[in-house]
Amino acid sequence: MAKKSKGKELQEALTHKWKNVWEVIEDDEKEKVFEINEEYKDFLDKGKTEREAAQEIIKIAEEKGYISMDEIIEKKIKPTPGTKIYANNKDKSIALFVIGKEKLEKGMHIVGSHLDAPRIDLKQFPLYEDSGLALCKTHYYGGIKKYQWVTLPLALHGVIIKENGEKVHISIGEDEGDPVFFITDLLPHLAKDQMEKKMGEGITGEGLNLLVGSIPFKDDEINEKVKLNVLNILHEKYGITEEDFTSAELEIVPAGKARDVGVDRSMVGGYGQDDRVCVYTSLKAILDVEKPNKTAVALFVDKEEIGSVGNTSMESKFFENIVSELIYLTEKNYSELIVKRALANSCVLSADTLGAFDPNYPEVLDKLNAPYVGKGVTIVKYTGARGKGGSNDANSEYLVKIRKIFNDNNVVWQMGELGKVDQGGGGTIAYILANYGMEVVDCGVALLSVHAPYEIASKADVYMAYKGYNAFYNA
Ligand code: MN
Ligand code: MN
């Protein structure tokens, strides 16, 4: 073999190249990549809303021997290293704990993601009839591009709670035989005025009305016959009346299952991958943890997409309260100071998605600092907008710790940022946990078409997120 040139040697020693996962993993690990993604697609299909995903997490956790916090408190069970606990916050946010060998006071290793995803909600008095059609008024949830949601088969998911307390679970549009719903769009022939509008204005928020029926109830003595017929069908099927919509949470999401993408099946296309890709991978990662040094926590919160507000969001006291309960159960003398120490000494991976470099839109990302599909789990030092505004800018001392954990465990990772300077930006739950004094860095999967009805993830990145979170828990 010819001797390497001095420059070549120096280049290898000094410069850094991000790796493509597919090029560095062996065949047996490649098999694992595809295996995990089959489970991942199944998880996406079963949890298309925050409630459904929360329910699925509890089901899986219980199967793996996790005990509910309510049971722990009620039976005064003293958690010991290896005890697995789940806490359920109003069926919309969940925390899983695997108690570590070290005291809670020494801090936890937390991976935090969000269960909610952009969607379209029915209004509280939605149903009306116009020109022989029954429709529902809606209010979109989170940041959507409205034009993406028209002429697309949609499913209706959610709960209706009747005055007698009965909770009716709704899921229409997912089974082969189910009907689906649509939001209509204008035919191109008559869209002259619409097409001249800006993309953000061509389809309006109040224009996102869901088509739900067109057969009139046969009775000459009444008006709004189509609306009545819809109400009658709903009443026969679910026992509900129009007033019951006022205490309902009904969410419209794209109908259908997650699919493989590409002739090489290297990617997953599906709804709600922001942030259920991080939900699933951190769930899978904690399920593989038995007796960690630091207590391992997988935190799944709601309402991130609307600013982490409300009692199921990261801003709520839910997590802090559960940690207090655990301190109360594990310490001889409970004190708030121990709770504060447990929180302040914790380390966090804020597990969320970001936009991957898209060759169709190269102008919005800095090629040198953009995350790429297939180059592993992405670490994001700062998010924010216009001069890092609103960002949790992770500390170098912490970044190096995560970098070392990943390198020591053959986790393929890359650095990424949310976009070019002054191009826009966004946030995650990172800054909220950082308020406790925890070390926090964003670390998740870069997607194509973020917040679109169908988002795309690389299977390799999904796998590396799992591997990275698992290494973090076991560190
Ligand atoms: Mn997100
Ligand atoms: Mn988002």
Side-chain angles (χ1 to χ4, degrees):
M1 229 168 72
K3 199 176 171 289
K4 279 179 194 161
S5 72
K6 178 85 183 145
K8 182 107 186 149
E9 253 176 37
L10 211 52
Q11 202 172 39
E12 274 173 18
L14 300 185
T15 62
H16 183 73
K17 261 209 166 79
W18 302 112
K19 296 174 199 131
N20 185 307
V21 176
W22 302 107
E23 289 184 318
V24 295
I25 55 170
E26 304 291 340
D27 283 351
D28 56 333
E29 197 163 28
K30 198 169 164 188
E31 243 168 68
K32 267 195 218 158
V33 171
F34 285 103
E35 250 173 56
I36 280 182
N37 277 279
E38 289 307 305
E39 292 170 26
Y40 170 49
K41 283 184 288 174
D42 190 51
F43 181 81
L44 285 177
D45 295 341
K46 285 181 177 150
K48 294 188 79 167
T49 66
E50 72 290 2
R51 282 180 190 266
E52 289 174 359
Q55 202 176 19
E56 187 62 17
I57 290 168
I58 291 174
K59 192 183 136 232
I60 295 170
E62 281 180 343
E63 281 167 10
K64 294 274 184 179
Y66 281 71
I67 310 164
S68 85
M69 197 66 207
D70 294 340
E71 193 181 330
I72 295 261
I73 293 169
E74 198 193 325
K75 296 186 180 162
K76 295 200 174 72
I77 298 169
K78 187 177 152 68
T80 54
T83 304
K84 295 168 177 173
I85 303 163
Y86 74 86
N88 174 3
N89 183 20
K90 304 179 200 301
D91 297 334
K92 292 180 178 180
S93 64
I94 308 281
L96 302 187
F97 294 82
V98 182
I99 303 300
K101 286 181 254 181
E102 290 179 27
K103 278 172 155 290
L104 269 162
E105 190 177 346
K106 299 283 181 201
M108 300 160 274
H109 274 192
I110 304 165
V111 182
S113 57
H114 66 92
L115 288 168
D116 60 322
R119 59 176 193 257
I120 298 177
D121 290 342
L122 289 200
K123 289 192 184 186
Q124 289 329 113
F125 202 68
L127 189 62
Y128 70 103
E129 175 175 341
D130 194 341
S131 317
L133 300 174
L135 299 129
C136 283
K137 296 297 296 176
T138 69
H139 194 149
Y140 64 96
Y141 173 98
I144 64 165
K145 287 163 127 180
K146 295 170 200 110
Y147 67 82
Q148 293 176 335
W149 290 76
V150 294
T151 69
L152 177 81
L154 298 165
L156 188 64
H157 291 244
V159 294
I160 301 174
I161 303 176
K162 295 200 248 180
E163 216 168 319
N164 66 8
E166 189 193 334
K167 194 185 261 187
V168 182
H169 290 267
I170 307 272
S171 173
I172 309 171
E174 300 296 351
D175 288 337
E176 271 309 286
D178 275 3
V180 292
F181 308 95
F182 280 92
I183 296 166
T184 55
D185 194 4
L186 205 48
L187 60 167
H189 318 67
L190 297 179
K192 185 180 162 289
D193 294 345
Q194 184 197 37
M195 296 299 275
E196 278 164 14
K197 289 180 183 165
K198 289 182 188 163
M199 278 174 96
E201 292 161 3
I203 303 287
T204 63
E206 284 292 348
L208 293 174
N209 301 313
L210 192 72
L211 184 59
V212 297
S214 68
I215 300 178
F217 190 89
K218 257 194 194 164
D219 185 336
D220 289 340
E221 296 191 8
I222 57 160
N223 49 23
E224 298 202 310
K225 296 173 191 174
V226 181
K227 175 181 167 179
L228 184 67
N229 196 47
V230 169
L231 278 175
N232 192 37
I233 290 168
L234 293 176
H235 184 255
E236 281 175 355
K237 189 154 185 207
Y238 303 109
I240 56 163
T241 66
E242 190 173 21
E243 192 183 329
D244 290 321
F245 280 117
T246 60
S247 49
E249 289 179 351
L250 295 169
E251 307 178 5
I252 300 160
V253 299
K257 291 178 158 48
R259 307 281 295 267
D260 286 344
V261 177
V263 289
D264 55 7
R265 297 182 178 268
S266 59
M267 297 165 279
V268 171
Y271 165 71
Q273 298 195 69
D274 172 13
D275 185 27
R276 292 184 201 126
V277 64
C278 296
V279 168
Y280 172 75
T281 47
S282 58
L283 170 66
K284 173 111 183 130
I286 200 167
L287 292 179
D288 288 350
V289 172
E290 288 305 327
K291 214 179 268 183
N293 289 325
K294 305 265 187 194
T295 293
V297 185
L299 195 50
F300 310 105
V301 296
D302 182 30
K303 299 285 187 285
E304 192 277 342
E305 295 293 356
I306 57 166
S308 293
V309 287
N311 63 10
T312 56
S313 77
M314 193 65 250
E315 289 274 20
S316 81
K317 294 278 182 279
F318 163 67
F319 180 60
E320 194 183 322
N321 291 347
I322 293 296
V323 173
S324 303
E325 296 279 6
L326 286 175
I327 299 285
Y328 180 73
L329 289 162
T330 49
E331 293 289 330
K332 261 194 217 90
N333 298 306
Y334 173 88
S335 99
E336 207 177 312
L337 182 64
I338 306 176
V339 177
K340 286 186 177 180
R341 283 180 185 154
L343 293 166
N345 289 329
S346 289
C347 290
V348 183
L349 294 180
S350 163
D352 209 339
T353 63
L354 72 168
F357 185 84
D358 184 338
N360 278 332
Y361 307 96
E363 62 280 5
V364 299
L365 284 144
D366 159 21
K367 273 196 150 174
L368 201 57
N369 287 283
Y372 290 82
V373 164
K375 294 198 174 170
V377 63
T378 305
I379 296 175
V380 186
K381 185 177 188 294
Y382 49 83
T383 58
R386 290 167 299 280
K388 301 188 180 181
S391 160
N392 161 67
D393 200 348
N395 298 316
S396 282
E397 290 83 349
Y398 184 51
L399 279 169
V400 78
K401 190 177 156 176
I402 299 304
R403 177 180 143 195
K404 186 164 165 32
I405 292 172
F406 285 0
N407 284 339
D408 287 350
N409 290 279
N410 295 319
V411 175
V412 181
W413 62 281
Q414 54 183 328
M415 287 303 284
E417 62 176 13
L418 273 194
K420 253 187 186 170
V421 179
D422 291 341
Q423 185 66 47
T428 63
I429 60 167
Y431 73 96
I432 306 164
L433 287 159
N435 285 339
Y436 291 109
M438 300 178 188
E439 290 288 6
V440 187
V441 67
D442 283 294
C443 177
V445 176
L447 306 174
L448 294 169
S449 305
V450 177
H451 281 205
Y454 294 91
E455 301 169 308
I456 295 165
S458 157
K459 290 184 179 177
D461 299 341
V462 173
Y463 173 77
M464 283 301 163
Y466 152 74
K467 200 174 172 183
Y469 299 149
N470 187 257
F472 172 69
Y473 283 139
N474 286 316

